[in-house]
Amino acid sequence: MRALLLIDIQNDFVPGGALAVPGGDAILPLVNRRQPDFELVVATQDWHPPTHQSFASQHPGQPLFSTIDLHGLPQVLWPDHCVQGSRGAELHPGLDQRRIEAIFRKGTSPEIDSYSAFFDNGHRKSTGLAAYLRGRGVTQLYLAGLAGDYCVYYSALDALQEGFETFLLTDATRPIDAAGFARAGADLQQRGAQLVVG
Ligand code: VGL
Ligand code: ZN
């Protein structure tokens, strides 16, 4: 069974948002058009408490987008984004939500970030997504959303590791950094994911 996983299509990740992904809103028509092709559609929301330790604002003196060590893991320091309950954290109003059956929230623990839809960055806590998908009979997982070089990439890595046949809808994602995304795509392909257009 085929499912579509829509990663973090939230106001803060599109132009005008706190952590805007260039052209992030351009994926909306494609994502909406592809939904009827899948028996199951699931979404994620980046959902941080206001004091989340991935925010540069929590580390005075450290520049935005610099990398620090956070409890033993490298952590990029982001602008405050997707704060729980804020407008920026809402799914984009242009996203057709009618067929989305479940929304998994991540990044809720203040001390650890969670790029993947499946696990936090330390692989300590599961969101329950893999068990949910297996329970629904999903074998093939198609990924789209934002950002291609962070949450979509790490979700695809975990999807592979969890044994799903994994597909990346390359037209339906946009990266923060193009070079990083090129590396991510090559890495995913090498690990057995399929990159598909359209
Ligand atoms: C994301 C950086 C920080 C993403 C989330 O959704 O790709 N990137 N938090
Ligand atoms: Zn985040």
Side-chain angles (χ1 to χ4, degrees):
M1 201 267 253
R2 301 198 323 165
L4 176 63
L5 178 60
L6 301 176
I7 307 282
D8 298 1
I9 305 180
Q10 294 165 266
N11 290 322
D12 270 344
F13 292 124
V14 300
L19 181 40
V21 178
D25 49 350
I27 70 171
L28 287 162
L30 192 68
V31 159
N32 290 338
R33 182 149 33 86
R34 287 302 304 266
Q35 288 193 45
D37 301 339
F38 297 89
E39 288 164 76
L40 174 66
V41 183
V42 180
T44 65
Q45 257 177 322
D46 209 32
W47 195 252
H48 298 309
T51 58
H52 197 258
Q53 294 301 301
S54 74
F55 295 169
S57 61
Q58 299 299 305
H59 305 272
Q62 302 285 350
L64 268 177
F65 304 109
S66 64
T67 302
I68 63 162
D69 177 293
L70 184 63
H71 310 302
L73 293 174
Q75 175 66 54
V76 177
L77 295 180
W78 303 107
D80 292 18
H81 65 279
C82 297
V83 173
Q84 296 166 352
S86 69
R87 237 193 76 71
E90 289 171 15
L91 293 177
H92 191 283
L95 176 65
D96 187 345
Q97 292 195 39
R98 288 173 297 177
R99 296 193 65 251
I100 297 175
E101 292 193 33
I103 299 172
F104 285 77
R105 288 173 168 168
K106 62 188 182 60
T108 56
S109 304
E111 299 296 331
I112 189 160
D113 213 353
S114 186
Y115 294 148
S116 165
F118 293 91
F119 294 97
D120 63 56
N121 289 1
H123 267 240
R124 287 168 206 151
K125 196 178 86 180
S126 162
T127 60
L129 175 60
Y132 171 82
L133 294 174
R134 279 195 278 271
R136 292 294 302 268
V138 174
T139 51
Q140 299 188 317
L141 190 62
Y142 287 70
L143 290 93
L146 306 170
D149 45 346
Y150 285 93
C151 291
V152 177
Y153 170 56
Y154 285 97
S155 297
L157 283 178
D158 282 342
L160 286 165
Q161 209 177 319
E162 290 293 325
F164 297 101
E165 207 179 328
T166 303
F167 301 83
L168 177 63
L169 295 174
T170 54
D171 283 4
T173 183
R174 291 289 185 284
I176 292 173
D177 175 68
F181 185 53
R183 282 193 298 274
D187 182 45
L188 288 174
Q189 254 184 328
Q190 194 254 322
R191 293 171 189 268
Q194 294 176 57
L195 274 45
V196 293
V197 180

